[in-house]
Amino acid sequence: MVDGVKIYSKVAPQAQTELFTDGALKFLTALHRTFEAARQSLLVAREDAQRRYDSGVSLDFLPETAHIRTEPSWHCVPPAPGLEDRRIEITGPTDRKMVINALNSGAKTFMADFEDSSSPTFANMLNGQVNLHDAIRRQIDFESGGKKYKLSENPAVLIVRPRGWHLDEPRVTVDNVPVSASIFDFGLYFYHNAHELVKRGYGPYFYLPKMEHYLEARLWNDIFVFSQSYIGMPLNTIRATVLIETLPAAFQMEEILFELRNHSSGLNCGRWDYIFSFIKKRRADRSAVLPDRKDVTMTVGFMEAYVRLLIQTCHRRKAAAIGGMSAQIPIKNDAQANEIAMNKVRADKLREVTAGHDGTWIAHPLINVIAREIFDKHMLGPNQYYNLRQDVKVATADLLNPKVPGKITHEGILENIDACLAYTAAWVGGNGCIPLNYLMEDAATAEITRVQLWQWVHYGMRADNGQLITADYIDALIKERTPGIKKIVAGVQEENVAIAVDYLKGQIRKQWPSEFLTSDLMSHLTLADGVEPQWQRSAL
């Protein structure tokens, strides 16, 4: 074992043997010792910023970086091999079957996700790394239940999303401090695969989630420079696409691209997390209360403004502007309902491509044909960088516009309760994405349900039937809905539903909602992995 490193869980022993080589652990240790202090200071800066928002200071474009926004001469590096045409990107967790199906889906790229669509049990994180290692080397084929899973001749280009800056990996410590989950996921993947990816004609490509400030992008860039030098790789080989999925980041798109300009492959509209962030960052603003989740669409004011600004910003800097995820999934055994759902996907993808997006996300292989048909018809070249959207004028007020047509309905309250309980219970049980009411729910959509319920209780809102929304009222509905949760999520355990119920009841009574349910509930996963309580963030 490398000096200073401790591993507190014995799960997935074969994966640990393959991944935790002395070289890999020395690399993780070097990253941790070099960059952990900067990460912690940036997390403190997030808390300071939230206190300013709570006191009434409005979000806005930063005056100190105006020179970056107004300077027309800088651009991002050209697309790396395999990233010139990203019209369809499929996303999903890193289990072996999913990796093969996604790579074989016909999509241009596959975002293998260690973040919002994965429950970060140690086994999921480690086995996911092994699966990607094997996929890159074309040794991932396997057979299960009499069915063979085999990688195609021309699989999608692989992009990896590590966990966000806010999360620790408490099952591994360096110098008695848990390592950053971001560094853990990035470091293992990069160390074991970067040279192999380049040898095969591509490179180490990443999606970067949950950033709230351009200095967080600078930290990633510093890590990229350090890492490439560490393994003897030419600088600027790495490429990273940043998800713009927090409200503060929407005001700093230019700065984020500038910090990563030698490694940037664009920005992505992380729509569901963005709605979550819009509510969370404006938690002290009664005017920012939103109606039912289904009413907060991509065409409402603040969402449309952020999309238009993202496309304009990316194309001005010669970078990809990738659209977001349609949550609909195919509906079996009901042709009419399926057609309605697929028409929603078509409308969503048509809106994206005609707005100027260079690609879009899908959650299911069968939706590839629909999305591909729309983009092929309206985007004849590999991208739309030429569409500079000089017509776009987005002001601060547009990004903060809380006016959303719609109501808070009894049905909307029930749908939020169902989704929050079902997802939370599944996540604690090790499953990070679930189909629910023919939508694919992940951590981001569950977070919307949680903070919406908090928001409606906190501000004493009334449903359209006149019902005052109180904590006791939500409690009564939770009691009513709980028995049905096991029926709508396959394999969810009774004890995990109980955890979800207690958590939601506690959340709606807090002065402010927690930052992330994944941070709050991580202790359940780590305890199951055999980690002692003192290494939980709450104890630290």
Side-chain angles (χ1 to χ4, degrees):
M1 185 63 67
V2 173
D3 185 48
V5 177
K6 293 181 181 178
I7 298 169
Y8 292 89
S9 178
K10 296 181 180 179
V11 303
Q14 181 59 40
Q16 290 201 31
T17 299
E18 293 181 34
L19 296 169
F20 293 151
T21 62
D22 281 355
L25 292 178
K26 286 177 181 177
F27 179 54
L28 288 178
T29 300
L31 288 173
H32 175 86
R33 289 173 176 163
T34 307
F35 298 108
E36 176 62 10
R39 178 178 80 105
Q40 290 299 334
S41 69
L42 291 168
L43 293 177
V44 171
R46 286 186 183 184
E47 296 174 359
D48 292 341
Q50 185 63 61
R51 281 190 284 271
R52 292 197 300 273
Y53 308 147
D54 291 345
S55 71
V57 176
S58 179
L59 286 104
D60 206 343
F61 297 97
L62 302 177
E64 66 266 28
T65 53
H67 63 287
I68 293 173
R69 298 193 297 275
T70 56
E71 172 54 57
S73 64
W74 66 267
H75 298 109
C76 296
V77 288
L83 298 180
E84 301 91 346
D85 185 337
R86 300 169 62 183
R87 64 189 61 214
I88 310 297
E89 300 194 330
I90 191 169
T91 76
T94 56
D95 64 90
R96 208 165 183 88
K97 178 181 173 183
M98 176 68 202
V99 169
I100 293 175
N101 287 341
L103 289 172
N104 290 349
S105 67
K108 290 289 187 179
T109 74
F110 165 45
M111 188 202 76
D113 190 20
F114 287 102
E115 206 225 4
D116 272 5
S117 65
S118 289
S119 171
T121 66
F122 210 34
N124 284 349
M125 298 296 95
L126 297 182
N127 289 329
Q129 291 278 355
V130 171
N131 293 337
L132 299 184
H133 171 279
D134 291 350
I136 291 164
R137 292 159 179 80
R138 300 191 62 85
Q139 55 193 40
I140 194 174
D141 301 355
F142 76 105
E143 185 173 338
S144 176
K147 185 176 180 180
K148 293 181 178 180
Y149 295 88
K150 182 178 176 62
L151 205 59
S152 68
E153 285 302 311
N154 296 296
V157 175
L158 186 60
I159 307 176
V160 169
R161 177 164 70 171
R163 285 168 283 176
W165 283 133
H166 59 289
L167 288 169
D168 293 333
E169 179 42 83
R171 291 150 299 206
V172 179
T173 63
V174 174
D175 305 328
N176 293 321
V177 176
V179 301
S180 155
S182 304
I183 285 176
F184 180 84
D185 297 340
F186 162 81
L188 284 179
Y189 179 76
F190 181 83
Y191 182 84
H192 287 294
N193 301 299
H195 282 305
E196 184 69 24
L197 285 160
V198 171
K199 188 173 78 173
R200 292 174 180 268
Y202 298 102
Y205 305 149
F206 298 93
Y207 257 106
L208 306 179
K210 304 284 193 293
M211 283 196 276
E212 298 188 11
H213 199 280
Y214 72 87
L215 292 177
E216 297 178 18
R218 181 179 296 176
L219 177 57
W220 268 120
N221 196 71
D222 290 345
I223 287 172
F224 292 164
V225 172
F226 177 96
S227 300
Q228 289 165 123
S229 298
Y230 187 97
I231 68 167
M233 173 169 280
L235 296 181
N236 309 340
T237 303
I238 290 174
R239 289 294 187 274
T241 306
V242 173
L243 289 130
I244 301 298
E245 53 187 354
T246 69
L247 188 56
F251 290 93
Q252 301 179 44
M253 295 188 209
E254 295 254 21
E255 294 89 332
I256 288 168
L257 284 179
F258 181 79
E259 294 294 342
L260 286 160
R261 63 194 180 279
N262 292 323
H263 297 106
S264 178
S265 52
L267 304 176
N268 172 288
C269 287
R271 60 175 74 172
W272 307 118
D273 263 307
Y274 191 75
I275 296 169
F276 165 49
S277 179
F278 186 90
I279 298 170
K280 184 172 62 171
K281 293 302 170 187
R282 304 184 67 188
R283 64 192 188 182
D285 184 356
R286 186 184 181 92
S287 72
V289 175
L290 300 180
D292 283 1
R293 180 168 58 127
K294 64 176 174 54
D295 294 325
V296 189
T297 67
M298 297 305 295
T299 60
V300 303
F302 76 93
M303 296 296 286
E304 186 180 32
Y306 131 84
V307 167
R308 289 187 289 120
L309 182 60
L310 184 144
I311 295 168
Q312 182 190 57
T313 301
C314 286
H315 290 176
R316 186 180 184 215
R317 304 305 180 182
K318 294 182 170 30
I322 306 298
M325 173 71 74
S326 291
Q328 287 80 13
I329 56 177
I331 301 171
K332 299 178 181 178
N333 306 320
D334 190 335
Q336 185 176 359
N338 186 67
E339 186 62 21
I340 291 171
M342 295 306 101
N343 281 337
K344 289 181 179 178
V345 174
R346 291 185 183 95
D348 186 61
K349 302 315 171 192
L350 181 62
R351 175 193 56 76
E352 288 184 325
V353 72
T354 54
H357 277 297
D358 304 296
T360 189
W361 272 15
I362 61 172
H364 195 286
L366 293 179
I367 293 180
N368 175 60
V369 174
I370 293 172
R372 185 68 175 266
E373 182 181 80
I374 298 290
F375 268 79
D376 285 353
K377 181 177 180 180
H378 295 276
M379 190 173 84
L380 302 183
N383 53 59
Q384 301 193 75
Y385 293 7
Y386 60 84
N387 185 355
L388 298 178
R389 289 306 306 266
Q390 291 175 332
D391 59 305
V392 169
K393 299 288 187 291
V394 173
T396 297
D398 299 319
L399 292 172
L400 297 178
N401 179 9
K403 295 178 181 177
V404 176
K407 301 175 181 178
I408 302 170
T409 67
H410 181 68
E411 292 73 21
I413 297 170
L414 295 181
E415 287 174 3
N416 276 2
I417 290 171
D418 285 352
C420 191
L421 293 181
Y423 183 81
T424 303
W427 189 92
V428 172
N431 183 3
C433 58
I434 61 170
L436 189 63
N437 297 324
Y438 306 113
L439 300 174
M440 189 60 74
E441 305 281 9
D442 69 0
T445 51
E447 292 284 35
I448 298 172
T449 66
R450 173 176 68 91
V451 295
Q452 276 203 309
L453 291 168
W454 170 86
Q455 191 182 50
W456 296 341
V457 169
H458 184 77
Y459 287 106
M461 303 306 291
R462 289 187 182 273
D464 64 342
N465 61 4
Q467 173 67 52
L468 179 66
I469 304 173
T470 65
D472 288 342
Y473 175 64
I474 298 297
D475 282 354
L477 295 180
I478 289 173
K479 183 177 181 181
E480 172 189 312
R481 306 301 288 186
T482 298
I485 297 301
K486 289 177 65 177
K487 298 176 183 176
I488 61 177
V489 185
V492 73
Q493 299 299 310
E494 191 80 47
E495 60 268 26
N496 294 335
V497 175
I499 291 169
V501 167
D502 289 344
Y503 180 69
L504 181 54
K505 286 182 176 182
Q507 282 291 299
I508 60 175
R509 287 170 165 80
K510 291 173 70 77
Q511 179 188 7
W512 305 120
S514 293
E515 278 292 292
F516 296 98
L517 67 83
T518 49
S519 298
D520 287 347
L521 299 171
M522 187 68 189
S523 61
H524 294 285
L525 303 187
T526 50
L527 286 172
D529 286 332
V531 180
E532 296 180 8
Q534 68 262 34
W535 298 115
Q536 307 303 326
R537 171 174 282 275
S538 58
L540 296 166

